[in-house]
Amino acid sequence: MAKYNITEKKEKEAAYRSLVNPRLMDEMKEKILNIIVMQKKYKDKDYSAKKLAEDLGTNTRYISAVVNVRFHMNYTSFVNKFRIEEAMAILVDRRYQDLRMEEVSDMVGFANRQSFYASFYKIMNMTPREYRLKHLAQHPSERVRSDKKR
């Protein structure tokens, strides 16, 4: 059993994915990126695929198809990828070195510390704490205070 109970992704073919017009899929991809990334909706714990579909005037099945085909992952993994990227920046930023992992998790949009750790580990193959400590070891001049529990 893998750490954090992560299972391998199984490839499935869903018939509806091939029924979507590629040009419309590209347009929807740009709209999704605009909302999730540019408007930073990934930071909102409550911003679901259903809310995204409502904002774009479509349905969740269409959102799912676009995210699966254009980004090669499901909606949750797509959103978590941006959360983890931001968390990585926060974890190595001296201004935020005194933050606890729960605070970092909350800042980037995770509902709880456990899902933050699981997603971080799935993407980076190390925990957020290990990532922070590794960075500090590589850049000791950036160490502000290491006596506080992280």
Side-chain angles (χ1 to χ4, degrees):
M1 186 63 74
K3 194 169 185 180
Y4 294 108
N5 214 10
I6 297 170
T7 56
E8 284 297 312
K9 180 181 166 190
K10 295 181 182 113
E11 282 297 320
K12 304 182 275 195
E13 260 313 306
Y16 66 88
R17 290 183 197 155
S18 60
L19 300 175
V20 181
N21 178 318
R23 187 181 56 74
L24 291 175
M25 200 173 272
D26 286 340
E27 288 175 17
M28 189 60 65
K29 173 187 173 185
E30 293 306 314
K31 290 177 182 177
I32 290 170
L33 282 170
N34 177 51
I35 290 173
I36 299 297
V37 182
M38 302 307 288
Q39 296 178 29
K40 296 189 182 238
K41 289 291 188 179
Y42 64 86
K43 287 183 165 189
D44 182 349
K45 297 174 185 43
D46 301 316
Y47 198 76
S48 63
K50 184 176 181 180
K51 287 184 181 176
L52 176 61
E54 289 170 7
D55 289 348
L56 293 174
T58 188
N59 61 51
T60 54
R61 182 165 268 200
Y62 192 66
I63 295 296
S64 176
V66 173
V67 171
N68 273 271
V69 172
R70 292 298 186 241
F71 301 106
H72 309 288
M73 59 185 86
N74 64 31
Y75 176 80
T76 302
S77 296
F78 174 71
V79 171
N80 285 347
K81 179 175 97 85
F82 297 106
R83 291 173 174 166
I84 296 304
E85 287 173 3
E86 180 148 345
M88 288 166 55
I90 290 169
L91 288 169
V92 299
D93 190 321
R94 285 188 304 198
R95 296 172 295 176
Y96 302 114
Q97 283 187 340
D98 288 336
L99 289 181
R100 295 183 342 267
M101 287 304 156
E102 290 81 5
E103 294 167 315
V104 174
S105 169
D106 191 56
M107 283 174 70
V108 299
F110 282 97
N112 59 59
R113 183 179 162 276
Q114 290 77 17
S115 58
F116 172 53
Y117 263 72
S119 294
F120 197 98
Y121 194 87
K122 182 178 180 183
I123 292 171
M124 297 302 298
N125 206 29
M126 66 177 75
T127 67
R129 185 175 186 282
E130 290 169 339
Y131 180 82
R132 177 185 266 169
L133 293 173
K134 180 180 175 187
H135 179 81
L136 289 175
Q138 290 172 347
H139 305 281
S141 62
E142 293 186 16
R143 185 175 288 128
V144 173
R145 227 174 27 211
S146 61
D147 59 342
K148 188 172 183 180
K149 185 179 179 192
R150 300 194 192 281

